[in-house]
Amino acid sequence: MQAQIWLTGFEPFGCHTANPSQQLVEQLLNTTRTHHIVGTDTELESTSVEMTFSGTILPVDEAGSRLSCEHLTDVDAIVHVGLHENSEKIRFEMRAINECNFRIADNSGRQISDVPIVESGNPQLHTTADHHSIDDVFSTYDTVIISHDCGRFVCNETYYRTLHSIKTQQLASRGKTLPAIFVHIPSFNHISAEVQLDILCDLCAHIVSNR
């Protein structure tokens, strides 16, 4: 099967002179990769997914959090990638919270606390990817954590705005709600770029094939 993926990373922020999410995502942007999904005990049939990656590197500010909402049509999945400073594993984020509570200023100098991202929006929105499939496939990976806390910084803001747009516009792909997920990654000191890239491609292939 073939799939179009909208993929984003972030620019450096805070004290960071580089952002691993940018470095990782830039290896995939404007490329086409074929990823092979191996069948499991419950899904005996293997398949190959040809994925074409479009997307961008987002500024770490409000404008960046809104940018992907303009690119949610004509794609089969949305995957946001950001740096988690304190994690040693890759975190698949299962939900976004309708709240900004910044510990530090974003790159525009904005530092806000206890402010809703969308007035009168749902308190939380869950990933539109098949979370049961994600649990089944990736729970055995010792490099991956299934997380329910995306923080309250621009990563969470970006994720919430994307999920809110999918919900309010009733966006779909292949007859199902358009899948979107946020992936927090650690520094390459904890998990190499090569391993992280392979896991990211594996995730993308699974969510577009609903496996």
Side-chain angles (χ1 to χ4, degrees):
M1 67 179 294
Q2 296 179 320
Q4 300 285 329
I5 311 290
W6 176 261
L7 179 68
T8 69
F10 284 100
E11 295 175 351
F13 66 97
C15 64
H16 301 282
T17 58
N19 192 322
S21 73
Q22 176 177 4
Q23 296 167 317
L24 198 67
V25 166
E26 284 181 341
Q27 294 185 56
L28 292 174
L29 290 182
N30 304 313
T31 70
T32 298
R33 298 197 177 206
T34 299
H35 196 82
H36 187 66
I37 299 176
V38 179
T40 65
D41 291 340
T42 56
E43 295 178 347
L44 299 179
E45 187 176 334
S46 299
T47 189
S48 292
V49 184
E50 182 182 287
M51 300 177 292
T52 299
F53 294 93
S54 59
T56 191
I57 303 303
L58 302 173
V60 183
D61 56 24
E62 183 177 359
S65 77
R66 295 178 180 274
L67 194 151
S68 291
C69 298
E70 303 169 6
H71 300 275
L72 301 181
T73 57
D74 301 320
V75 295
D76 298 301
I78 314 295
V79 180
H80 296 304
V81 185
L83 171 66
H84 193 296
E85 298 173 289
N86 300 317
S87 183
E88 297 182 3
K89 296 189 176 184
I90 299 168
R91 301 166 64 95
F92 294 166
E93 302 293 353
M94 295 293 104
R95 65 174 184 169
I97 304 298
N98 188 15
E99 180 185 29
C100 288
N101 194 357
F102 294 180
R103 178 178 55 83
I104 62 172
D106 69 10
N107 286 2
S108 70
R110 182 181 57 139
Q111 186 169 7
I112 51 180
S113 299
D114 302 323
V115 175
I117 298 166
V118 177
E119 289 287 350
S120 71
N122 286 30
Q124 61 183 349
L125 293 172
H126 293 269
T127 178
T128 47
D130 186 343
H131 63 92
H132 295 298
S133 175
I134 292 171
D135 281 340
D136 289 344
V137 173
F138 293 99
S139 61
T140 59
Y141 285 47
D142 61 8
T143 52
V144 172
I145 294 173
I146 305 301
S147 168
H148 298 272
D149 184 1
C150 196
R152 301 294 186 273
F153 195 48
V154 178
C155 291
N156 175 72
E157 182 182 13
T158 301
Y159 195 16
Y160 188 91
R161 291 193 192 282
T162 294
L163 293 174
H164 180 76
S165 293
I166 291 170
K167 177 181 173 65
T168 56
Q169 298 176 43
Q170 298 181 322
L171 299 175
S173 173
R174 306 179 195 274
K176 296 184 179 181
T177 301
L178 179 66
I181 193 169
F182 196 102
V183 180
H184 263 131
I185 65 170
S187 77
F188 299 140
N189 293 329
H190 296 299
I191 303 174
S192 71
E194 181 181 9
V195 170
Q196 294 203 42
L197 191 69
D198 189 60
I199 291 173
L200 182 59
C201 288
D202 201 17
L203 173 67
C204 291
H206 275 91
I207 64 175
V208 296
S209 62
N210 290 317
R211 297 172 71 93

